[in-house]
Amino acid sequence: MNTKVKNAKFEDLPYAYDALEPHIDARTMEIHHTKHHKAYYDKMMAAIEGTEMADLTMNDLFKNISKFPTGVRNNAGGYVNHNLFWRIMTGKSSGKPSGKLAEAIDKKFGSFGKFQEEFNNAAATRFGSGWAWLVVNNGDLEICSTPNQDNPLMDASECSGIPILGLDVWEHAYYLKYQNKRPDYIKAFWNVIDWENVENNFNEATN
Ligand code: MN3
């Protein structure tokens, strides 16, 4: 987020497209990354070229996003949201958080199970396209959701904080395998969370 927008890179996934099988299928991952994510990136780069936005850090762009065109909000959001999404998943999930993050979840939500319930609810009830988030807001964990490609770091976002875990609930993220059954996709997501990376995000956000 400290990189200048004009220097943003479109990166490969940190694992193979089939790494999250059977929970998230390879075809979905490949289309999601090479078509959807790539399109957000390309459109963002085209929109910022030659403007004052190009020299802002991504962080400053998000903090001032309400001043800029909606197309930038949508495409820069899509670019950044997916960067986070890929990195908080793995084919070798530990299944549960540990360390300081586990303690903070228990303290805030009562138990890991209650945390899951609340997160599932945020993801299932987000109408239309959007994201469910676990954020650190003023040092405290919160669950929330946003429409479209909004990110909690944007000044115009419905929820605020530093996102440490995000779930894409756009139909393109699950329709090939789960069709209209978003709750089944949400349930499957718990099998592929990279808790080590989420805990790193938590530690950075609470520093
Ligand atoms: Mn997506």
Side-chain angles (χ1 to χ4, degrees):
M1 293 301 288
N2 295 319
T3 307
K4 282 190 179 178
V5 181
K6 67 180 179 189
N7 295 329
K9 296 274 179 287
F10 183 73
E11 290 178 2
D12 291 340
L13 293 192
Y15 38 72
Y17 289 122
D18 65 359
L20 309 181
E21 292 267 11
H23 310 292
I24 302 182
D25 61 290
R27 186 86 180 116
T28 296
M29 289 300 291
E30 185 172 0
I31 295 171
H32 203 170
H33 180 247
T34 63
K35 306 292 182 196
H36 294 278
H37 192 195
K38 182 69 163 46
Y40 294 126
Y41 172 76
D42 288 344
K43 287 177 184 169
M44 171 186 78
M45 295 310 273
I48 59 99
E49 196 184 344
T51 74
E52 58 173 319
M53 294 179 277
D55 285 304
L56 295 177
T57 63
M58 197 62 78
N59 211 32
D60 284 338
L61 180 75
F62 276 25
K63 273 193 217 160
N64 297 286
I65 204 77
S66 59
K67 296 175 193 159
F68 298 117
T70 306
V72 174
R73 175 172 170 175
N74 292 337
N75 290 301
Y79 168 67
V80 167
N81 292 347
H82 289 87
N83 285 345
L84 174 72
F85 188 46
W86 309 138
R87 283 184 296 101
I88 56 87
M89 295 193 288
T90 175
K92 295 166 185 164
S93 175
S94 62
K96 275 190 171 192
S98 60
K100 283 184 194 164
L101 174 61
E103 284 170 30
I105 285 174
D106 284 348
K107 193 173 164 211
K108 176 73 184 189
F109 303 101
S111 67
F112 182 63
K114 284 183 182 160
F115 158 70
Q116 284 181 300
E117 257 177 54
E118 197 173 315
F119 189 90
N120 288 348
N121 188 49
T125 59
R126 166 47 60 189
F127 182 76
S129 300
W131 291 75
W133 302 103
L134 177 64
V135 302
V136 173
N137 191 16
N138 298 318
D140 203 20
L141 287 175
E142 287 175 14
I143 289 168
C144 62
S145 73
T146 55
N148 305 317
Q149 293 294 353
D150 281 1
N151 180 290
L153 291 168
M154 291 178 176
D155 66 346
S157 173
E158 281 177 28
C159 72
S160 302
I162 302 168
I164 64 169
L165 172 73
L167 175 59
D168 187 344
V169 295
W170 283 59
E171 281 186 349
H172 69 228
Y174 61 86
Y175 206 85
L176 286 182
K177 183 175 173 76
Y178 295 100
Q179 293 83 47
N180 58 318
K181 300 181 287 275
R182 189 193 287 184
D184 291 357
Y185 160 70
I186 296 168
K187 196 175 162 196
F189 174 63
W190 295 102
N191 295 304
V192 295
I193 298 177
D194 188 334
W195 286 109
E196 207 171 296
N197 279 350
V198 179
E199 191 174 357
N200 288 341
N201 293 343
F202 174 74
N203 292 338
E204 268 177 42
T206 50
N207 245 336

